[in-house]
Amino acid sequence: MDNESYIKECILLARKSEKKDEIPVGAILVKNNTVLSRAHNMSISLNDPTAHAEINAIREACIKINNYRITNSTLYTTLEPCPMCISAICEARIDRVIFGAYADKEKNFVSKFEFMKKKFTLNHTPEFIGGVLEKECSLVIKKFFKAKRC
Protein backbone atom coordinates (compact mmCIF):
# COMPACT_ATOMS: atom_id res chain seq x y z
CA MET A 1 0.00 0.00 0.00
CA ASP A 2 1.06 3.58 -0.50
CA ASN A 3 1.20 6.44 2.02
CA GLU A 4 -2.27 7.73 1.15
CA SER A 5 -3.84 4.29 1.59
CA TYR A 6 -2.35 3.94 5.07
CA ILE A 7 -3.44 7.46 6.03
CA LYS A 8 -6.98 6.68 4.82
CA GLU A 9 -6.96 3.68 7.13
CA CYS A 10 -5.69 5.91 9.94
CA ILE A 11 -8.65 8.23 9.33
CA LEU A 12 -11.01 5.28 9.87
CA LEU A 13 -9.22 4.55 13.15
CA ALA A 14 -9.51 8.21 14.13
CA ARG A 15 -13.26 7.97 13.65
CA LYS A 16 -13.30 5.09 16.16
CA SER A 17 -11.79 7.51 18.68
CA GLU A 18 -14.39 10.10 17.81
CA LYS A 19 -17.22 7.64 18.50
CA LYS A 20 -15.74 7.15 21.98
CA ASP A 21 -15.58 10.93 22.49
CA GLU A 22 -11.78 10.82 22.22
CA ILE A 23 -9.75 13.29 20.16
CA PRO A 24 -9.87 11.62 16.72
CA VAL A 25 -6.36 10.46 15.89
CA GLY A 26 -5.47 7.11 14.32
CA ALA A 27 -2.10 5.42 13.79
CA ILE A 28 -0.71 2.38 11.99
CA LEU A 29 2.78 0.93 12.38
CA VAL A 30 4.20 -0.95 9.39
CA LYS A 31 7.39 -3.00 9.04
CA ASN A 32 8.45 -4.80 5.86
CA ASN A 33 5.06 -4.09 4.26
CA THR A 34 3.30 -5.82 7.17
CA VAL A 35 1.01 -3.97 9.55
CA LEU A 36 2.28 -4.57 13.08
CA SER A 37 -0.39 -2.54 14.83
CA ARG A 38 -3.38 -0.27 14.45
CA ALA A 39 -4.47 2.10 17.18
CA HIS A 40 -6.41 5.22 18.03
CA ASN A 41 -6.51 7.68 20.90
CA MET A 42 -7.78 6.21 24.17
CA SER A 43 -6.55 8.67 26.81
CA ILE A 44 -10.01 9.44 28.18
CA SER A 45 -11.43 5.93 28.15
CA LEU A 46 -8.28 4.47 29.74
CA ASN A 47 -7.69 7.41 32.09
CA ASP A 48 -4.17 7.48 30.72
CA PRO A 49 -2.66 10.70 29.38
CA THR A 50 -0.08 8.66 27.45
CA ALA A 51 -2.64 6.61 25.51
CA HIS A 52 -2.21 8.56 22.28
CA ALA A 53 -2.73 6.69 19.02
CA GLU A 54 1.00 6.64 18.28
CA ILE A 55 1.97 5.36 21.73
CA ASN A 56 -0.75 2.71 21.60
CA ALA A 57 0.51 1.55 18.19
CA ILE A 58 4.11 1.44 19.43
CA ARG A 59 3.16 -0.53 22.55
CA GLU A 60 1.17 -3.09 20.57
CA ALA A 61 3.94 -3.51 17.97
CA CYS A 62 6.62 -3.96 20.64
CA ILE A 63 4.60 -6.72 22.24
CA LYS A 64 3.99 -8.35 18.88
CA ILE A 65 7.67 -8.43 17.88
CA ASN A 66 8.92 -8.90 21.45
CA ASN A 67 11.34 -6.01 21.19
CA TYR A 68 11.37 -2.39 22.33
CA ARG A 69 13.06 -1.34 19.09
CA ILE A 70 11.02 -1.26 15.89
CA THR A 71 13.72 -0.57 13.33
CA ASN A 72 13.02 -0.46 9.59
CA SER A 73 9.45 0.63 10.26
CA THR A 74 7.08 3.43 9.33
CA LEU A 75 4.48 5.01 11.58
CA TYR A 76 1.44 6.55 9.89
CA THR A 77 -0.76 8.95 11.82
CA THR A 78 -3.49 11.46 11.08
CA LEU A 79 -1.91 14.27 13.13
CA GLU A 80 1.65 15.46 13.61
CA PRO A 81 3.06 13.74 16.69
CA CYS A 82 3.24 15.63 19.97
CA PRO A 83 6.54 15.89 21.91
CA MET A 84 5.72 12.81 24.02
CA CYS A 85 5.03 10.73 20.92
CA ILE A 86 8.14 12.07 19.16
CA SER A 87 10.24 10.91 22.09
CA ALA A 88 8.66 7.45 22.00
CA ILE A 89 9.17 7.26 18.22
CA CYS A 90 12.87 8.07 18.67
CA GLU A 91 13.28 5.59 21.54
CA ALA A 92 11.62 2.86 19.45
CA ARG A 93 13.98 3.70 16.55
CA ILE A 94 11.14 4.05 14.07
CA ASP A 95 12.65 5.11 10.75
CA ARG A 96 9.84 7.10 9.13
CA VAL A 97 6.77 8.99 10.27
CA ILE A 98 4.11 9.89 7.74
CA PHE A 99 1.38 12.19 9.06
CA GLY A 100 -1.62 14.03 7.70
CA ALA A 101 -2.56 17.20 9.54
CA TYR A 102 -0.22 19.71 11.11
CA ALA A 103 -0.89 20.84 14.68
CA ASP A 104 -0.69 24.51 13.78
CA LYS A 105 -0.99 26.77 10.77
CA GLU A 106 2.75 27.49 10.62
CA LYS A 107 3.53 23.89 9.60
CA ASN A 108 6.88 24.23 11.35
CA PHE A 109 7.13 20.63 12.49
CA VAL A 110 10.74 20.14 11.38
CA SER A 111 11.95 23.15 13.35
CA LYS A 112 10.04 21.92 16.43
CA PHE A 113 11.67 18.51 16.06
CA GLU A 114 15.15 20.01 15.64
CA PHE A 115 14.62 22.05 18.82
CA MET A 116 13.53 18.93 20.73
CA LYS A 117 16.41 16.89 19.36
CA LYS A 118 18.95 19.47 20.50
CA LYS A 119 17.30 20.35 23.82
CA PHE A 120 16.61 16.79 24.94
CA THR A 121 19.50 14.99 23.23
CA LEU A 122 17.38 12.68 21.11
CA ASN A 123 19.85 10.34 19.44
CA HIS A 124 17.67 9.02 16.64
CA THR A 125 16.31 11.05 13.74
CA PRO A 126 13.38 9.57 11.85
CA GLU A 127 12.37 10.90 8.49
CA PHE A 128 9.19 12.97 8.85
CA ILE A 129 6.78 13.52 5.97
CA GLY A 130 3.77 15.70 6.74
CA GLY A 131 0.71 16.81 4.86
CA VAL A 132 -0.37 13.47 3.37
CA LEU A 133 -4.14 13.85 2.90
CA GLU A 134 -3.81 16.93 5.07
CA LYS A 135 -7.26 18.36 4.28
CA GLU A 136 -9.06 15.12 5.08
CA CYS A 137 -7.15 14.62 8.32
CA SER A 138 -7.63 18.25 9.38
CA LEU A 139 -11.34 18.06 8.68
CA VAL A 140 -11.79 15.11 11.07
CA ILE A 141 -10.16 17.07 13.92
CA LYS A 142 -11.88 20.36 13.09
CA LYS A 143 -15.33 18.76 12.98
CA PHE A 144 -14.71 17.08 16.33
CA PHE A 145 -13.76 20.31 18.10
CA LYS A 146 -16.47 22.32 16.35
CA ALA A 147 -19.09 19.86 17.69
CA LYS A 148 -17.54 20.17 21.17
CA ARG A 149 -17.98 23.95 21.11
CA CYS A 150 -21.65 23.82 20.15
Side-chain angles (χ1 to χ4, degrees), residues 74-90:
T74 301
L75 177 69
Y76 295 89
T77 184
T78 54
L79 182 63
E80 98 178 31
C82 73
M84 174 185 68
C85 293
I86 290 170
S87 296
I89 289 162
C90 291

Side-chain angles (χ1 to χ4, degrees), residues 17-68:
S17 292
E18 187 175 27
K19 289 178 183 173
K20 296 177 182 179
D21 210 27
E22 300 271 1
I23 295 173
V25 177
I28 297 172
L29 194 48
V30 177
K31 181 175 177 154
N32 300 326
N33 297 316
T34 300
V35 173
L36 294 178
S37 59
R38 292 174 175 84
H40 55 82
N41 273 358
M42 296 179 66
S43 294
I44 297 166
S45 57
L46 294 178
N47 292 315
D48 179 355
T50 69
H52 290 196
E54 301 91 333
I55 300 289
N56 294 337
I58 291 168
R59 286 180 178 148
E60 184 180 323
C62 287
I63 291 168
K64 188 172 187 175
I65 66 170
N66 196 32
N67 196 329
Y68 72 110

